[in-house]
Amino acid sequence: MELYAQVKNARLTVDGLANPRMNLFRSTYARFTSLPTRTMVLIQHSGVQKQTYVILGPGPGHLPEGFKGSIRRCESVFVATPLFGFADDHSECGTPAPNRDRDRNAKFDSRFVEFTADDGKRERVEW
């Protein structure tokens, strides 16, 4: 089981509008690695529906050299509490999905990640 710490002061905008109903978590396995080079999990809530995205940022902590990052939507693998989150098995979500990544037009920076969600909306999460 992998533990995730909540990223305080994270903000999400969807098509330019603020969405306060979200949580961003970062993997705790590499304490001194800056975001987004470590695994992050974005959970947004809209009514009863929940969307979960696993974000693998570019950098030395992930996969082969030259890896440009990956964002993958996954459901039912991540459990969140007010203080932390955990994943039992997110191996399917933790591997890049190059066929979908091309459509996401993802942008990674040291203070934000921006991508196109499955529903076509542009999302930007900042910390």
Side-chain angles (χ1 to χ4, degrees), residues 48 53 79:
V48 295
Y53 290 93
V79 177

Side-chain angles (χ1 to χ4, degrees), residues 47-103:
V48 295
Q49 186 178 358
K50 175 178 93 168
Q51 292 181 346
T52 304
Y53 290 93
V54 174
I55 302 167
L56 298 175
H62 292 178
L63 304 172
E65 190 174 325
F67 177 64
K68 304 229 186 293
S70 177
I71 299 172
R72 192 163 200 187
R73 183 165 176 193
C74 295
E75 301 301 339
S76 304
V77 297
F78 193 82
V79 177
T81 70
L83 299 176
F84 65 92
F86 62 91
D88 280 335
D89 178 22
H90 68 288
S91 56
E92 282 185 30
C93 300
T95 56
N99 58 337
R100 185 67 182 115
D101 284 340
R102 182 177 336 111
D103 301 332

Side-chain angles (χ1 to χ4, degrees), residues 82-125:
L83 299 176
F84 65 92
F86 62 91
D88 280 335
D89 178 22
H90 68 288
S91 56
E92 282 185 30
C93 300
T95 56
N99 58 337
R100 185 67 182 115
D101 284 340
R102 182 177 336 111
D103 301 332
R104 293 206 188 279
N105 192 23
K107 294 183 173 120
F108 295 89
D109 190 74
S110 61
R111 303 299 297 164
F112 73 86
V113 173
E114 187 174 307
F115 65 98
T116 302
D118 286 355
D119 60 6
K121 294 180 180 175
R122 194 72 184 160
E123 301 199 3
R124 179 182 174 110
V125 62

Side-chain angles (χ1 to χ4, degrees), residues 8-24:
K8 301 293 180 190
N9 300 322
R11 297 172 309 280
L12 173 68
T13 55
V14 179
D15 285 343
L17 301 173
N19 179 354
R21 299 185 63 176
M22 59 75 68
N23 298 96
L24 181 67

